[in-house]
Amino acid sequence: MGGERRGRGGGARRGGGGGGAGAAVVTGCSSGIGAALCGELARRGVRVFALGRDPGALRGLEAEGGAGGVVALRADVTDAQSLETAFAEAARQAPGGRIDLCVANAGVSGCGALAVQVRPPLPAPPPSFAPPAPPDRPPCAPPAGPRPPRRTAPPPPGRAASSDSGPLQEHRTVQSIFDTNVTGACATVQVAARHMLEQERQGPGGLRGVIAVTGSVTSEVCMPWAAAYCASKAAIKSLCRTSALELEPFGVRVTHLYTGAVKSKIADNALARDPLASYDAPDNPYHPYAAAIRGRARVSQGRAAWTAERYASEVATALLSPRPPREVVAGGGARALRLFARTLPERLQDWVACRRFGL
């Protein structure tokens, strides 16, 4: 089994995962890491299928595709059926019908104090997104007659009934992060693995395929003001390690992308979704920490952050090698933070985190 990869980028052989020519499927491609990976893989001769909720937003990737070319396909990682459809179409168009590499990169961030964190749900996909019902399964019709009143449990003593902008909405904040970052990644790994298990072994590594999942240093480094996001990335680390044990005997390699700071729109997207202005209200218990919370939202976009292109080059080099590693450490500060998390006592780590993030 492979170990850690600390490549310097460039110089990888052309082709799909495991060193052989083929195709790659990448999720979360609208900008940043995903878009850079699509471009880098295509330039190395890989046929890339970029999956997204709105393929129209990915047309630029198709136009800029290199020798391998980029094809945009509609898929939502929170909709398993749409993933199945997209992978089937990718396999139909791929050279030899093979999907040699899958990068599960789709993800969302979230910033704020967990106790009061609020975020509206993700925007609905385009109206044409939903596939038509199969001929033998007509859409369900609502039952005739008046709908019975919805039963709700009474609120606990001393607390008013929650509205859509209260505790229920706060729960949806956490749920939306896990739906994309964890459940969506699990679904992508499942669909990719099922396709790869039907393929023949090939290349010097004798692999049927490679699945990589974008993780984060926050899977081990606990940073305040992003509890749900850190927890989702800890789940990704466990997902990669466990699924690697299950798939390794069948020639499918699973790689965890231990990602540090990378320049992207993730901070801007997080600030657009998270109403951080609520922390300016004097009645917010976290009002004294408003500046620290805003600083946390942009912590990955500082001077130490890598460009997405540099990150993509190093990751592509590792994933296209004959024997890809089980973990790729890349991005600004990734190696230092990995050492920090695995060598220092937790109480010392917590002290450093509190000092860094204003607690």
Side-chain angles (χ1 to χ4, degrees), residues 53-55 74 123-132:
R53 289 162 57 91
D54 182 8
R74 178 179 288 120
S128 59
F129 180 82

Side-chain angles (χ1 to χ4, degrees), residues 139-162:
C140 295
R147 178 175 295 181
R150 185 178 179 182
R151 295 183 179 181
T152 56
R159 173 182 288 184
S162 62

Side-chain angles (χ1 to χ4, degrees), residues 132-139:
D136 57 341
R137 278 184 66 189

Side-chain angles (χ1 to χ4, degrees), residues 14-26 41-42 44-50 68-71 73 87 89-103 192 196 199 202 208-211 319-320:
R14 292 159 64 94
V25 173
V26 183
L41 291 169
R44 299 189 188 208
V46 180
R47 181 75 161 166
V48 180
F49 297 91
V70 178
V71 177
L73 296 175
F87 269 81
E89 180 61 21
R92 188 185 70 81
Q93 297 187 36
R98 288 181 62 94
I99 297 175
D100 295 275
L101 171 64
C102 172
V103 183
M196 292 175 180
Q199 301 173 167
Q202 73 171 25
R208 288 189 167 96
V210 177
I211 301 172
L319 298 181
L320 299 183

Side-chain angles (χ1 to χ4, degrees), residues 12 15 23 26 52 61 85 88 99 101 109 112 168 176 219 224-225 231 237 239-241 256 292 296 298 306 320:
V26 183
L61 290 175
T85 301
I99 297 175
L101 171 64
S109 183
L168 178 60
S176 65
S219 62
W225 317 129
K237 184 175 185 296
L239 166 68
C240 290
R241 185 173 179 180
H256 177 229
R296 170 63 184 86
R298 297 191 179 277
W306 288 14
L320 299 183

